[in-house]
Amino acid sequence: MIVSATRTPKKLDDIGRSVSLISKEDIKNSGANSVAEVLSQYEGIYITGTQQTFGANQSMFMRGSNSNQSVVMIDGVPVSDPSTPNAAIDLSELSLSDIDHIEIVRGSHSTQYGSSAIGGVVNIITSGKQKEGMNISASGTAGSFGKETSLMSEKIGLNYTCKDGFYASMNMLNMNVNGINGTIDTTANANVSKNNKSMDRFDYGGKVGFQNNRWDMHVGYKKVNTNANIDKGAFQPDNARTLDFTRDMVSYGATWKYDSTFSVSFNGGYSSMTRKDIDDSSAYSLHQYSKGVYTGKTYTDELQFQFKEKGYSFIFGGSNSEQFMSSQNYSYYYGSISSSNLDSLNLASRTNSMFLLLDLNGELVSEKAKAFSLVLGGRMIKNNTFNTGYTYQVNPMVKVSATTTLYANFSSGYNAPSLYELHAPDKDPTSQITMGNINLRPEISETNEFGVYQKISDKTGVRIGYFSTLTSDVIEFVNLWDKNIAISDLGTNPIRNDFRGDTYMNLGRLLTRGIELDVHGALSKQLLLAGNFSYLKGTQMGSYEAIDTVKSKGNHVQMMNGGGFVDVADVNVKGLARRPIMANISLTYYPAKKIFCKAILKYVSKRNDVFYDYSLGPYGALGTTSVAAYALIDFIGGVKFDEHTSALVRVENVFDVSYSEIIGYAARGRGIYFTINYTF
């Protein structure tokens, strides 16, 4: 059963969308050390940073969308990070502690879940009611993935479930890592120490609830603490920079079922986060020190009414969400001091929305039309900074036979601009143009999707689909240049100041098209084959007609991505950075009932990455360069000693392949991890 695709529990076979469900057993048997490692095994998802040193930033690109255009939720509550410039979550903060299962829904999904759901939705469902009595789960992992590296992780979960439906649980995870040098260093700077990076994480939380045939209620709390050594940037090792991240999250929810036809649900959450970025290079006589403290808060509440009868269901609901952010920065550079503080700006965003979903079945008309179903939906969104917007969804499906299903999806999505993009106060002294742009509009997407699912047996099936998504009003970061000087002459006079500031504008369109294939099957009673393939092709387009001439004050507009001047002509860039063609294939063998061996092949194609190219425009911009393809093989072996105890060994990158996920950053080599699991 999966909930996220239609906001109501449905069997996977009855959903006309590209979806995946990752069970607790799947997660445990994967041997993964992070949520990102688990998600990367599924089609349509590429996460940078997954194979780098632990603690590196992890950005998710789902179906070619940008990293801030997909929704990550915990128990149905969106988890974002408004303290960052684009409000995208860093997946490295998510641990595998207390996860019951994960649901993935691909494609524009804003009608169900609001802002950011252009690429898709990842919903992490935590553990709730369990079998009556005391339930204990504990695991320990030890491993190494290179010279002088180590990983130690301990995880424990306790749950007590009463006979009458009350339950209480608590969980804890501790991880300590001594990792690899995070960058590929091509310099010989003796003042920079190039030692391995470390990361320490401590998560804990709890949940209390009540569940019976009529009520399902819970309140949960989770705290995340991460401290990591990070580098200055690509090809720039830095032993003096640390990043401390803390998140406090409270979630709550209640569902009341009047009878089998009517129910009411209410859920929401509060989250606060603080990120401290300190670079104390003064310890190495470089006379430099910087400190940035970035804070954010989010509030979400949602009320939903569901009415269900034979042949149709009707869901009506509304939500309210608020975001707040601030930052304080201080830097010292060879006697020069600068500082900034955004507290006085009281940066906030408030969004109210209402949504309606209709799930219709052909049996409303005739029993002979039972194979046909249709999901219709719409959402109205009102934000305190931009105009009212609307999204829609049309999702027909037909079961051609008991084993063959055809489906289509026509839907729209939207992604609101971040608080930083709207209000960044940095101002150019000459033009007086601020970096933030209060007139930004939300990014809007249109998705067309077609697919077929062929079920061969209970354990064997094939799903293949095609999608096309066009996102308009894409927010771009641009440089502005003196309108009175010809573009060819900009930057040629070292005495003259041609620069007129930088800002954000709705300039672009992003077109992505792709094919996704998922295959799973039992070759025999002891041999299972599973695999997926994701083909993606995309184009980024900057529109001359979209320029906000009031904001630019008529100055030349240069896109940071690619360096093209949009005020001269449209700028089209084929090929998307950090969006490869991917394939995952696994073969699992069960020599005995309680033993399994699994080999996994992961292929990532040649792809573009970005770097600062000083040859673009007057002072440079982000150019692209090619990053080589790579193929990795992992091995996993597991044994269950008894009903309580099991062990797992995972060999990552068996052949110690040298490769890069992102240009300038190092990837892990061969790694070996041992895990002991205990449940009671």
Side-chain angles (χ1 to χ4, degrees):
M1 304 292 286
I2 186 170
V3 176
S4 303
T6 58
R7 300 183 69 98
T8 185
K10 266 193 173 186
K11 293 181 179 179
L12 284 168
D13 293 350
D14 294 332
I15 297 173
R17 300 294 297 267
S18 175
V19 297
S20 298
L21 190 148
I22 311 171
S23 69
K24 178 184 289 189
E25 196 71 11
D26 293 333
I27 296 172
K28 185 175 75 172
N29 290 339
S30 71
N33 293 305
S34 68
V35 170
E37 288 182 13
V38 174
L39 295 176
S40 294
Q41 299 174 19
Y42 291 82
E43 67 270 23
I45 297 178
Y46 184 67
I47 304 175
T48 58
T50 308
Q51 302 297 327
Q52 293 171 216
T53 191
F54 290 91
N57 182 276
Q58 296 175 345
S59 299
M60 180 171 67
F61 301 90
M62 198 167 178
R63 279 195 168 180
S65 62
N66 290 330
S67 60
N68 63 332
Q69 293 176 338
S70 294
V71 173
V72 177
M73 303 188 297
I74 297 179
D75 291 331
V77 179
V79 184
S80 61
D81 190 349
S83 69
T84 63
N86 67 356
I89 186 174
D90 175 3
L91 266 67
S92 69
E93 74 164 90
L94 301 176
S95 72
L96 293 172
S97 176
D98 194 41
I99 296 179
D100 183 78
H101 65 279
I102 301 174
E103 300 178 350
I104 302 171
V105 186
R106 300 168 188 86
S108 295
H109 228 55
S110 286
T111 296
Q112 280 94 331
Y113 296 107
S115 182
S116 302
I118 290 177
V121 175
V122 174
N123 194 6
I124 299 171
I125 312 297
T126 61
S127 301
K129 181 181 177 182
Q130 298 182 30
K131 69 178 186 293
E132 185 181 335
M134 177 62 75
N135 300 277
I136 302 173
S137 64
S139 68
T141 300
S144 176
F145 45 93
K147 185 179 180 181
E148 298 180 353
T149 67
S150 64
L151 179 147
M152 299 292 293
S153 175
E154 308 85 35
K155 182 170 60 175
I156 186 169
L158 302 175
N159 173 281
Y160 189 84
T161 299
C162 301
K163 184 177 181 180
D164 56 8
F166 284 98
Y167 65 88
S169 63
M170 62 173 292
N171 60 86
M172 181 207 74
L173 177 139
N174 181 64
M175 179 181 285
N176 307 104
V177 180
N178 184 41
I180 61 175
N181 182 14
T183 66
I184 299 173
D185 183 25
T186 59
T187 69
N189 189 347
N191 292 318
V192 178
S193 177
K194 306 172 181 64
N195 71 336
N196 290 2
K197 300 301 174 186
S198 64
M199 185 203 72
D200 297 307
R201 164 170 290 148
F202 184 65
D203 296 358
Y204 62 90
K207 190 175 184 181
V208 294
F210 173 75
Q211 184 178 345
N212 62 14
N213 293 331
R214 180 158 290 189
W215 286 96
D216 186 354
M217 302 181 292
H218 74 272
V219 177
Y221 170 75
K222 187 174 183 67
K223 188 174 185 70
V224 178
N225 291 285
T226 304
N227 177 273
N229 294 125
I230 60 175
D231 289 297
K232 193 179 296 292
F235 302 108
Q236 301 179 67
D238 189 341
N239 188 43
R241 189 179 179 193
T242 60
L243 184 66
D244 294 323
F245 178 82
T246 302
R247 182 189 289 269
D248 289 273
M249 181 175 180
V250 177
S251 61
Y252 43 83
T255 298
W256 174 66
K257 294 182 180 179
Y258 175 74
D259 55 23
S260 61
T261 63
F262 180 73
S263 65
V264 181
S265 298
F266 173 76
N267 75 300
Y270 161 79
S271 185
S272 67
M273 60 231 69
T274 301
R275 178 181 290 102
K276 296 180 181 178
D277 187 345
I278 299 175
D279 193 350
D280 189 3
S281 299
S282 62
Y284 299 95
S285 301
L286 297 181
H287 308 290
Q288 300 175 35
Y289 175 86
S290 66
K291 179 180 180 180
V293 180
Y294 309 91
T295 57
K297 294 181 181 179
T298 62
Y299 299 86
T300 303
D301 289 300
E302 185 175 84
L303 181 64
Q304 170 183 304
F305 300 90
Q306 180 178 347
F307 186 80
K308 186 177 182 180
E309 282 284 5
K310 183 180 179 180
Y312 73 95
S313 68
F314 171 92
I315 297 176
F316 173 75
S319 67
N320 173 70
S321 64
E322 299 182 36
Q323 293 189 344
F324 304 85
M325 72 89 67
S326 186
S327 67
Q328 302 84 39
N329 290 274
Y330 171 88
S331 66
Y332 171 88
Y333 184 77
Y334 287 93
S336 176
I337 296 175
S338 64
S339 63
S340 65
N341 191 323
L342 303 186
D343 284 351
S344 62
L345 298 180
N346 297 315
L347 302 182
S349 174
R350 297 174 180 86
T351 303
N352 297 311
S353 63
M354 298 178 66
F355 61 90
L356 175 66
L357 293 171
L358 287 172
D359 193 340
L360 308 173
N361 188 273
E363 64 181 336
L364 273 173
V365 179
S366 168
E367 191 68 24
K368 295 181 180 180
K370 191 176 181 179
F372 179 80
S373 64
L374 176 65
V375 177
L376 301 172
R379 179 181 286 258
M380 180 185 71
I381 311 108
K382 188 174 183 179
N383 183 272
N384 66 318
T385 55
F386 55 81
N387 294 329
T388 300
Y390 302 89
T391 64
Y392 68 86
Q393 176 183 332
V394 180
N395 181 200
M397 184 186 78
V398 59
K399 290 193 172 185
V400 179
S401 67
T403 58
T404 305
T405 302
L406 302 177
Y407 64 88
N409 173 52
F410 311 98
S411 60
S412 63
Y414 85 101
N415 183 41
S418 71
L419 287 168
Y420 187 83
E421 291 167 340
L422 288 166
H423 303 289
D426 309 68
K427 183 184 293 185
D428 181 75
T430 303
S431 68
Q432 296 296 298
I433 296 174
T434 58
M435 183 181 293
N437 185 355
I438 193 65
N439 296 318
L440 287 175
R441 302 179 300 276
E443 300 170 325
I444 301 295
S445 70
E446 302 266 348
T447 292
N448 298 321
E449 180 179 359
F450 306 91
V452 57
Y453 175 66
Q454 180 64 51
K455 184 177 180 180
I456 300 170
S457 68
D458 288 341
K459 293 184 178 181
T460 306
V462 178
R463 183 189 297 270
I464 186 170
Y466 165 83
F467 69 89
S468 173
T469 298
L470 176 62
T471 305
S472 304
D473 285 336
V474 174
I475 298 171
E476 299 280 358
F477 187 65
V478 301
N479 291 327
L480 304 176
W481 301 93
D482 192 341
K483 60 186 176 183
N484 299 311
I485 300 174
I487 292 176
S488 59
D489 291 334
L490 291 172
T492 59
N493 188 336
I495 301 176
R496 185 181 65 207
N497 178 25
D498 300 340
F499 189 62
R500 294 296 178 266
D502 40 32
T503 188
Y504 293 93
M505 286 189 182
N506 295 103
L507 274 186
R509 291 187 297 162
L510 174 63
L511 176 63
T512 58
R513 295 179 177 137
I515 297 172
E516 295 169 346
L517 172 68
D518 174 69
V519 180
H520 56 277
L523 302 180
S524 68
K525 291 183 178 180
Q526 296 174 292
L527 202 59
L528 300 179
L529 175 68
N532 56 72
F533 171 76
S534 304
Y535 173 82
L536 183 68
K537 188 175 183 180
T539 303
Q540 292 177 303
M541 299 163 279
S543 173
Y544 169 83
E545 296 178 349
I547 293 176
D548 182 352
T549 55
V550 175
K551 180 66 177 179
S552 70
K553 295 185 178 180
N555 289 300
H556 298 301
V557 179
Q558 179 197 21
M559 292 178 65
M560 178 59 71
N561 287 319
F565 280 84
V566 193
D567 57 308
V568 176
D570 289 351
V571 175
N572 295 335
V573 180
K574 292 186 177 181
L576 303 177
R578 300 179 181 177
R579 277 85 146 186
I581 298 169
M582 300 174 295
N584 296 280
I585 302 173
S586 68
L587 189 65
T588 307
Y589 174 62
Y590 292 88
K593 186 176 181 180
K594 296 183 179 182
I595 300 174
F596 79 90
C597 304
K598 186 175 185 178
I600 303 171
L601 169 65
K602 182 179 184 67
Y603 170 77
V604 175
S605 73
K606 181 180 177 181
R607 62 215 175 276
N608 287 333
D609 202 352
V610 295
F611 75 107
Y612 201 85
D613 188 347
Y614 289 93
S615 68
L616 297 174
Y619 297 130
L622 293 179
T624 58
T625 187
S626 179
V627 181
Y630 63 88
L632 307 177
I633 292 179
D634 293 357
F635 171 82
I636 302 171
V639 57
K640 190 171 183 179
F641 300 110
D642 54 41
E643 61 177 324
H644 301 300
T645 311
S646 63
L648 193 79
V649 59
R650 175 184 172 215
V651 183
E652 174 186 62
N653 190 2
V654 172
F655 296 104
D656 200 21
V657 175
S658 179
Y659 67 100
S660 290
E661 278 189 326
I662 305 176
I663 184 172
Y665 289 92
R668 299 195 299 268
R670 182 189 297 116
I672 303 177
Y673 308 94
F674 298 92
T675 301
I676 297 291
N677 297 298
Y678 175 81
T679 58
F680 178 78

